Short mmCIF file of all heavy atoms in Angstrom, two decimals:
data_model
loop_
_atom_site.label_atom_id
_atom_site.label_comp_id
_atom_site.label_asym_id
_atom_site.label_seq_id
_atom_site.Cartn_x
_atom_site.Cartn_y
_atom_site.Cartn_z
N ALA A 980 32.36 210.50 92.41
CA ALA A 980 31.62 210.01 91.25
C ALA A 980 30.67 208.87 91.58
O ALA A 980 30.13 208.24 90.67
CB ALA A 980 32.61 209.57 90.18
N ALA A 981 30.44 208.59 92.84
CA ALA A 981 29.57 207.47 93.23
C ALA A 981 28.15 207.71 92.72
O ALA A 981 27.62 208.83 92.81
CB ALA A 981 29.56 207.32 94.75
N PRO A 982 27.51 206.67 92.19
CA PRO A 982 26.15 206.84 91.65
C PRO A 982 25.06 206.93 92.73
O PRO A 982 23.91 207.17 92.41
CB PRO A 982 25.97 205.58 90.79
CG PRO A 982 26.87 204.57 91.39
CD PRO A 982 28.04 205.35 91.96
N VAL A 983 25.42 206.73 93.98
CA VAL A 983 24.45 206.82 95.06
C VAL A 983 24.55 208.20 95.71
O VAL A 983 25.57 208.87 95.61
CB VAL A 983 24.68 205.72 96.13
CG1 VAL A 983 24.44 204.35 95.54
CG2 VAL A 983 26.06 205.82 96.72
N VAL A 984 23.48 208.60 96.37
CA VAL A 984 23.46 209.90 97.02
C VAL A 984 24.20 209.78 98.35
O VAL A 984 23.84 208.97 99.20
CB VAL A 984 22.02 210.38 97.25
CG1 VAL A 984 22.01 211.72 97.97
CG2 VAL A 984 21.28 210.49 95.93
N LEU A 985 25.24 210.57 98.51
CA LEU A 985 26.03 210.58 99.73
C LEU A 985 25.81 211.92 100.44
O LEU A 985 25.45 212.92 99.81
CB LEU A 985 27.51 210.41 99.40
CG LEU A 985 27.91 209.07 98.78
CD1 LEU A 985 29.35 209.11 98.32
CD2 LEU A 985 27.71 207.95 99.77
N PRO A 986 26.03 211.95 101.73
CA PRO A 986 25.89 213.23 102.44
C PRO A 986 26.85 214.29 101.89
O PRO A 986 27.94 213.98 101.39
CB PRO A 986 26.26 212.88 103.88
CG PRO A 986 26.07 211.41 103.99
CD PRO A 986 26.31 210.84 102.63
N VAL A 987 26.42 215.52 101.98
CA VAL A 987 27.21 216.63 101.44
C VAL A 987 28.57 216.70 102.12
O VAL A 987 29.58 217.00 101.47
CB VAL A 987 26.44 217.96 101.62
CG1 VAL A 987 27.28 219.14 101.16
CG2 VAL A 987 25.13 217.92 100.85
N ALA A 988 28.64 216.41 103.39
CA ALA A 988 29.91 216.47 104.12
C ALA A 988 30.91 215.46 103.57
O ALA A 988 32.10 215.77 103.43
CB ALA A 988 29.68 216.22 105.61
N VAL A 989 30.44 214.27 103.23
CA VAL A 989 31.33 213.23 102.69
C VAL A 989 31.88 213.66 101.33
O VAL A 989 33.09 213.53 101.06
CB VAL A 989 30.59 211.87 102.59
CG1 VAL A 989 31.44 210.85 101.87
CG2 VAL A 989 30.20 211.38 103.97
N VAL A 990 31.03 214.19 100.48
CA VAL A 990 31.46 214.62 99.15
C VAL A 990 32.40 215.82 99.27
O VAL A 990 33.39 215.92 98.55
CB VAL A 990 30.24 214.96 98.26
CG1 VAL A 990 30.68 215.53 96.93
CG2 VAL A 990 29.39 213.72 98.06
N SER A 991 32.13 216.71 100.21
CA SER A 991 33.00 217.87 100.42
C SER A 991 34.38 217.44 100.90
O SER A 991 35.41 217.94 100.41
CB SER A 991 32.35 218.81 101.43
OG SER A 991 33.17 219.91 101.68
N ILE A 992 34.42 216.52 101.85
CA ILE A 992 35.71 216.01 102.35
C ILE A 992 36.47 215.29 101.24
O ILE A 992 37.69 215.42 101.12
CB ILE A 992 35.49 215.09 103.57
CG1 ILE A 992 35.02 215.94 104.76
CG2 ILE A 992 36.76 214.33 103.92
CD1 ILE A 992 34.57 215.12 105.95
N ALA A 993 35.73 214.55 100.40
CA ALA A 993 36.38 213.86 99.28
C ALA A 993 36.98 214.86 98.30
O ALA A 993 38.04 214.61 97.72
CB ALA A 993 35.38 212.96 98.58
N GLY A 994 36.33 215.99 98.11
CA GLY A 994 36.88 217.03 97.23
C GLY A 994 38.18 217.59 97.77
O GLY A 994 39.14 217.78 97.03
N TYR A 995 38.21 217.85 99.07
CA TYR A 995 39.45 218.35 99.68
C TYR A 995 40.54 217.28 99.65
O TYR A 995 41.72 217.58 99.46
CB TYR A 995 39.20 218.80 101.12
CG TYR A 995 38.41 220.08 101.20
CD1 TYR A 995 37.19 220.12 101.87
CD2 TYR A 995 38.86 221.25 100.60
CE1 TYR A 995 36.45 221.30 101.95
CE2 TYR A 995 38.13 222.42 100.67
CZ TYR A 995 36.93 222.44 101.34
OH TYR A 995 36.21 223.61 101.42
N ALA A 996 40.16 216.02 99.83
CA ALA A 996 41.14 214.94 99.78
C ALA A 996 41.71 214.80 98.36
O ALA A 996 42.90 214.52 98.18
CB ALA A 996 40.51 213.63 100.23
N ALA A 997 40.86 215.01 97.35
CA ALA A 997 41.34 214.96 95.96
C ALA A 997 42.34 216.07 95.70
O ALA A 997 43.39 215.85 95.06
CB ALA A 997 40.17 215.06 95.00
N LEU A 998 42.04 217.25 96.20
CA LEU A 998 42.96 218.37 96.04
C LEU A 998 44.29 218.08 96.74
O LEU A 998 45.37 218.29 96.17
CB LEU A 998 42.35 219.65 96.61
CG LEU A 998 43.24 220.89 96.57
CD1 LEU A 998 43.48 221.31 95.13
CD2 LEU A 998 42.61 222.00 97.37
N ALA A 999 44.23 217.58 97.96
CA ALA A 999 45.45 217.27 98.71
C ALA A 999 46.25 216.17 98.01
O ALA A 999 47.49 216.26 97.91
CB ALA A 999 45.11 216.84 100.13
N GLY A 1000 45.59 215.13 97.53
CA GLY A 1000 46.29 214.05 96.83
C GLY A 1000 46.97 214.53 95.56
O GLY A 1000 48.10 214.13 95.25
N GLY A 1001 46.30 215.43 94.83
CA GLY A 1001 46.91 215.98 93.61
C GLY A 1001 48.13 216.82 93.91
O GLY A 1001 49.16 216.71 93.24
N VAL A 1002 48.04 217.65 94.94
CA VAL A 1002 49.17 218.51 95.30
C VAL A 1002 50.34 217.67 95.79
O VAL A 1002 51.49 217.90 95.41
CB VAL A 1002 48.74 219.54 96.37
CG1 VAL A 1002 49.94 220.26 96.96
CG2 VAL A 1002 47.77 220.54 95.77
N ILE A 1003 50.06 216.68 96.63
CA ILE A 1003 51.12 215.80 97.13
C ILE A 1003 51.82 215.10 95.97
O ILE A 1003 53.05 215.01 95.93
CB ILE A 1003 50.56 214.77 98.13
CG1 ILE A 1003 50.18 215.46 99.43
CG2 ILE A 1003 51.55 213.64 98.40
CD1 ILE A 1003 49.40 214.56 100.39
N SER A 1004 51.04 214.59 95.02
CA SER A 1004 51.62 213.87 93.89
C SER A 1004 52.48 214.78 93.01
O SER A 1004 53.58 214.39 92.60
CB SER A 1004 50.51 213.24 93.05
OG SER A 1004 49.80 212.32 93.81
N VAL A 1005 52.00 215.98 92.73
CA VAL A 1005 52.75 216.89 91.87
C VAL A 1005 54.05 217.34 92.54
O VAL A 1005 55.12 217.32 91.92
CB VAL A 1005 51.88 218.11 91.49
CG1 VAL A 1005 52.71 219.19 90.84
CG2 VAL A 1005 50.77 217.68 90.56
N ILE A 1006 53.97 217.73 93.80
CA ILE A 1006 55.17 218.18 94.50
C ILE A 1006 56.18 217.04 94.62
O ILE A 1006 57.38 217.24 94.45
CB ILE A 1006 54.81 218.74 95.89
CG1 ILE A 1006 53.92 219.97 95.75
CG2 ILE A 1006 56.05 219.06 96.70
CD1 ILE A 1006 54.54 221.11 95.01
N SER A 1007 55.69 215.82 94.87
CA SER A 1007 56.60 214.68 94.99
C SER A 1007 57.26 214.35 93.66
O SER A 1007 58.41 213.92 93.62
CB SER A 1007 55.84 213.46 95.51
OG SER A 1007 55.37 213.70 96.80
N GLN A 1008 56.54 214.56 92.55
CA GLN A 1008 57.10 214.24 91.25
C GLN A 1008 58.22 215.19 90.86
O GLN A 1008 59.20 214.79 90.23
CB GLN A 1008 56.01 214.25 90.18
CG GLN A 1008 56.51 213.95 88.79
CD GLN A 1008 57.14 212.58 88.65
OE1 GLN A 1008 56.63 211.62 89.20
NE2 GLN A 1008 58.24 212.48 87.93
N ILE A 1009 58.11 216.46 91.23
CA ILE A 1009 59.12 217.42 90.79
C ILE A 1009 60.27 217.56 91.78
O ILE A 1009 61.13 218.41 91.61
CB ILE A 1009 58.51 218.80 90.48
CG1 ILE A 1009 57.85 219.42 91.69
CG2 ILE A 1009 57.56 218.71 89.30
CD1 ILE A 1009 57.38 220.84 91.48
N THR A 1010 60.31 216.72 92.81
CA THR A 1010 61.44 216.70 93.73
C THR A 1010 62.56 215.88 93.08
O THR A 1010 62.33 214.80 92.56
CB THR A 1010 61.04 216.07 95.07
OG1 THR A 1010 59.92 216.78 95.58
CG2 THR A 1010 62.16 216.11 96.04
N VAL A 1011 63.77 216.41 93.11
CA VAL A 1011 64.89 215.81 92.37
C VAL A 1011 65.91 215.24 93.34
O VAL A 1011 66.25 215.85 94.34
CB VAL A 1011 65.56 216.88 91.48
CG1 VAL A 1011 66.76 216.31 90.77
CG2 VAL A 1011 64.56 217.42 90.48
N ASP A 1012 66.40 214.04 93.02
CA ASP A 1012 67.51 213.42 93.75
C ASP A 1012 68.79 213.94 93.10
O ASP A 1012 69.16 213.52 92.00
CB ASP A 1012 67.41 211.90 93.64
CG ASP A 1012 68.43 211.19 94.49
OD1 ASP A 1012 69.18 211.86 95.21
OD2 ASP A 1012 68.47 209.94 94.43
N ASP A 1013 69.47 214.88 93.77
CA ASP A 1013 70.63 215.55 93.18
C ASP A 1013 71.77 214.59 92.87
O ASP A 1013 72.42 214.71 91.83
CB ASP A 1013 71.14 216.65 94.11
CG ASP A 1013 70.24 217.86 94.10
OD1 ASP A 1013 69.57 218.09 93.08
OD2 ASP A 1013 70.22 218.57 95.11
N GLU A 1014 72.02 213.63 93.75
CA GLU A 1014 73.14 212.71 93.52
C GLU A 1014 72.90 211.85 92.28
O GLU A 1014 73.78 211.71 91.43
CB GLU A 1014 73.34 211.82 94.74
CG GLU A 1014 74.56 210.94 94.64
CD GLU A 1014 74.79 210.16 95.93
OE1 GLU A 1014 74.49 210.68 97.00
OE2 GLU A 1014 75.28 209.04 95.81
N ALA A 1015 71.70 211.30 92.15
CA ALA A 1015 71.38 210.49 90.98
C ALA A 1015 71.35 211.34 89.72
O ALA A 1015 71.74 210.89 88.64
CB ALA A 1015 70.04 209.79 91.17
N ASN A 1016 70.91 212.58 89.86
CA ASN A 1016 70.88 213.48 88.71
C ASN A 1016 72.31 213.80 88.25
O ASN A 1016 72.58 213.84 87.05
CB ASN A 1016 70.14 214.76 89.08
CG ASN A 1016 69.72 215.55 87.88
OD1 ASN A 1016 69.59 215.01 86.79
ND2 ASN A 1016 69.51 216.83 88.07
N ARG A 1017 73.23 214.00 89.18
CA ARG A 1017 74.63 214.24 88.82
C ARG A 1017 75.22 213.03 88.11
O ARG A 1017 75.93 213.16 87.12
CB ARG A 1017 75.44 214.57 90.07
CG ARG A 1017 75.51 216.03 90.34
CD ARG A 1017 76.50 216.36 91.45
NE ARG A 1017 75.73 216.93 92.54
CZ ARG A 1017 75.56 216.39 93.73
NH1 ARG A 1017 76.15 215.28 94.05
NH2 ARG A 1017 74.82 216.98 94.64
N GLU A 1018 74.95 211.83 88.65
CA GLU A 1018 75.46 210.62 88.02
C GLU A 1018 74.92 210.47 86.60
O GLU A 1018 75.66 210.10 85.69
CB GLU A 1018 75.09 209.40 88.86
CG GLU A 1018 75.83 209.29 90.16
CD GLU A 1018 75.35 208.13 91.02
OE1 GLU A 1018 74.52 207.33 90.54
OE2 GLU A 1018 75.81 208.03 92.16
N ARG A 1019 73.65 210.75 86.43
CA ARG A 1019 73.04 210.63 85.11
C ARG A 1019 73.67 211.62 84.13
O ARG A 1019 73.95 211.28 82.98
CB ARG A 1019 71.54 210.88 85.19
CG ARG A 1019 70.86 210.76 83.83
CD ARG A 1019 69.47 211.30 83.82
NE ARG A 1019 68.53 210.35 84.37
CZ ARG A 1019 67.22 210.56 84.41
NH1 ARG A 1019 66.72 211.69 83.98
NH2 ARG A 1019 66.42 209.65 84.90
N SER A 1020 73.92 212.85 84.58
CA SER A 1020 74.53 213.84 83.69
C SER A 1020 75.96 213.45 83.32
O SER A 1020 76.40 213.67 82.19
CB SER A 1020 74.50 215.23 84.33
OG SER A 1020 75.33 215.29 85.44
N ILE A 1021 76.71 212.86 84.26
CA ILE A 1021 78.07 212.41 83.96
C ILE A 1021 78.05 211.29 82.93
O ILE A 1021 78.82 211.30 81.96
CB ILE A 1021 78.78 211.95 85.25
CG1 ILE A 1021 79.08 213.16 86.14
CG2 ILE A 1021 80.08 211.19 84.93
CD1 ILE A 1021 79.56 212.80 87.53
N VAL A 1022 77.15 210.34 83.10
CA VAL A 1022 77.05 209.23 82.14
C VAL A 1022 76.65 209.75 80.76
O VAL A 1022 77.21 209.34 79.74
CB VAL A 1022 76.04 208.17 82.66
CG1 VAL A 1022 75.69 207.17 81.57
CG2 VAL A 1022 76.60 207.46 83.87
N ASN A 1023 75.69 210.68 80.71
CA ASN A 1023 75.28 211.24 79.42
C ASN A 1023 76.42 212.01 78.76
O ASN A 1023 76.60 211.93 77.54
CB ASN A 1023 74.07 212.17 79.61
CG ASN A 1023 72.81 211.40 79.88
OD1 ASN A 1023 72.72 210.21 79.60
ND2 ASN A 1023 71.83 212.08 80.45
N ARG A 1024 77.20 212.74 79.56
CA ARG A 1024 78.34 213.47 79.01
C ARG A 1024 79.38 212.50 78.46
O ARG A 1024 79.97 212.74 77.40
CB ARG A 1024 78.95 214.35 80.10
CG ARG A 1024 79.71 215.52 79.57
CD ARG A 1024 80.11 216.51 80.64
NE ARG A 1024 79.29 216.39 81.83
CZ ARG A 1024 79.74 216.53 83.07
NH1 ARG A 1024 81.00 216.80 83.28
NH2 ARG A 1024 78.95 216.41 84.10
N LEU A 1025 79.65 211.40 79.18
CA LEU A 1025 80.62 210.41 78.69
C LEU A 1025 80.13 209.74 77.42
O LEU A 1025 80.91 209.50 76.50
CB LEU A 1025 80.88 209.37 79.77
CG LEU A 1025 81.71 209.84 80.97
CD1 LEU A 1025 81.76 208.74 82.01
CD2 LEU A 1025 83.10 210.24 80.53
N LYS A 1026 78.84 209.43 77.36
CA LYS A 1026 78.29 208.83 76.14
C LYS A 1026 78.43 209.77 74.96
O LYS A 1026 78.79 209.36 73.86
CB LYS A 1026 76.81 208.48 76.33
CG LYS A 1026 76.57 207.24 77.13
CD LYS A 1026 75.08 206.96 77.23
CE LYS A 1026 74.80 205.75 78.07
NZ LYS A 1026 73.35 205.50 78.21
N LYS A 1027 78.13 211.05 75.20
CA LYS A 1027 78.23 212.03 74.12
C LYS A 1027 79.68 212.21 73.68
O LYS A 1027 79.98 212.33 72.50
CB LYS A 1027 77.64 213.36 74.57
CG LYS A 1027 77.47 214.35 73.44
CD LYS A 1027 76.82 215.62 73.95
CE LYS A 1027 75.34 215.53 73.69
NZ LYS A 1027 74.65 216.78 74.00
N GLY A 1028 80.61 212.21 74.64
CA GLY A 1028 82.02 212.37 74.31
C GLY A 1028 82.60 211.17 73.59
O GLY A 1028 83.52 211.30 72.78
N ASN A 1029 82.10 209.97 73.86
CA ASN A 1029 82.61 208.75 73.25
C ASN A 1029 81.82 208.33 72.02
O ASN A 1029 82.07 207.27 71.46
CB ASN A 1029 82.58 207.61 74.27
CG ASN A 1029 83.56 207.83 75.39
OD1 ASN A 1029 84.55 208.52 75.22
ND2 ASN A 1029 83.28 207.25 76.53
N GLN A 1030 80.91 209.13 71.59
CA GLN A 1030 80.01 208.74 70.52
C GLN A 1030 80.73 208.49 69.18
O GLN A 1030 80.42 207.55 68.47
CB GLN A 1030 78.97 209.85 70.32
CG GLN A 1030 77.85 209.49 69.39
CD GLN A 1030 76.79 210.58 69.40
OE1 GLN A 1030 76.99 211.65 69.97
NE2 GLN A 1030 75.69 210.31 68.77
N ASN A 1031 81.69 209.30 68.85
CA ASN A 1031 82.36 209.17 67.56
C ASN A 1031 83.70 208.47 67.62
O ASN A 1031 84.43 208.47 66.64
CB ASN A 1031 82.52 210.56 66.94
CG ASN A 1031 81.18 211.20 66.63
OD1 ASN A 1031 80.24 210.52 66.23
ND2 ASN A 1031 81.10 212.50 66.82
N LEU A 1032 84.06 207.89 68.75
CA LEU A 1032 85.32 207.16 68.86
C LEU A 1032 85.18 205.79 68.24
O LEU A 1032 84.12 205.16 68.31
CB LEU A 1032 85.73 207.04 70.32
CG LEU A 1032 86.08 208.34 71.05
CD1 LEU A 1032 86.39 208.05 72.49
CD2 LEU A 1032 87.24 209.04 70.37
N PRO A 1033 86.26 205.27 67.60
CA PRO A 1033 86.16 203.93 67.02
C PRO A 1033 86.10 202.87 68.13
O PRO A 1033 86.65 203.02 69.21
CB PRO A 1033 87.46 203.81 66.22
CG PRO A 1033 88.38 204.79 66.82
CD PRO A 1033 87.54 205.90 67.34
N ARG A 1034 85.37 201.83 67.84
CA ARG A 1034 85.25 200.71 68.78
C ARG A 1034 86.38 199.73 68.58
O ARG A 1034 86.99 199.66 67.52
CB ARG A 1034 83.92 200.01 68.59
CG ARG A 1034 82.75 200.90 68.89
CD ARG A 1034 81.47 200.20 68.79
NE ARG A 1034 80.39 201.14 69.03
CZ ARG A 1034 79.14 200.83 68.94
NH1 ARG A 1034 78.77 199.62 68.58
NH2 ARG A 1034 78.22 201.73 69.20
N ASP A 1035 86.66 198.91 69.58
CA ASP A 1035 87.72 197.89 69.49
C ASP A 1035 87.38 196.90 68.39
O ASP A 1035 86.27 196.38 68.33
CB ASP A 1035 87.90 197.16 70.80
CG ASP A 1035 88.49 198.08 71.87
OD1 ASP A 1035 89.16 199.05 71.53
OD2 ASP A 1035 88.24 197.79 73.04
N GLY A 1036 88.33 196.58 67.56
CA GLY A 1036 88.13 195.57 66.52
C GLY A 1036 87.58 196.13 65.23
O GLY A 1036 87.54 195.46 64.22
N ILE A 1037 87.15 197.36 65.24
CA ILE A 1037 86.60 197.98 64.01
C ILE A 1037 87.61 199.03 63.53
O ILE A 1037 87.98 199.92 64.28
CB ILE A 1037 85.24 198.64 64.28
CG1 ILE A 1037 84.25 197.60 64.77
CG2 ILE A 1037 84.71 199.34 63.02
CD1 ILE A 1037 82.90 198.19 65.16
N LYS A 1038 88.04 198.89 62.32
CA LYS A 1038 89.05 199.82 61.77
C LYS A 1038 88.42 200.77 60.81
O LYS A 1038 87.52 200.58 60.16
CB LYS A 1038 90.15 199.05 61.07
CG LYS A 1038 90.85 198.05 61.94
CD LYS A 1038 91.88 198.73 62.79
CE LYS A 1038 92.55 197.64 63.64
NZ LYS A 1038 93.43 198.07 64.58
#
Side-chain angles (χ1 to χ4, degrees):
V983 296
V984 178
L985 295 171
V987 176
V989 172
V990 175
S991 179
I992 291 171
Y995 289 121
L998 177 67
V1002 169
I1003 289 171
S1004 298
V1005 168
I1006 297 299
S1007 296
Q1008 179 61 41
I1009 61 173
T1010 305
V1011 176
D1012 186 4
D1013 286 333
E1014 186 175 327
N1016 197 23
R1017 268 189 244 114
E1018 289 176 7
R1019 180 193 279 183
S1020 68
I1021 290 170
V1022 168
N1023 287 340
R1024 204 170 339 142
L1025 288 174
K1026 282 182 182 178
K1027 190 177 264 187
N1029 292 335
Q1030 189 173 9
N1031 296 323
L1032 295 177
R1034 297 184 182 176
D1035 291 335
I1037 300 176
K1038 303 279 180 186

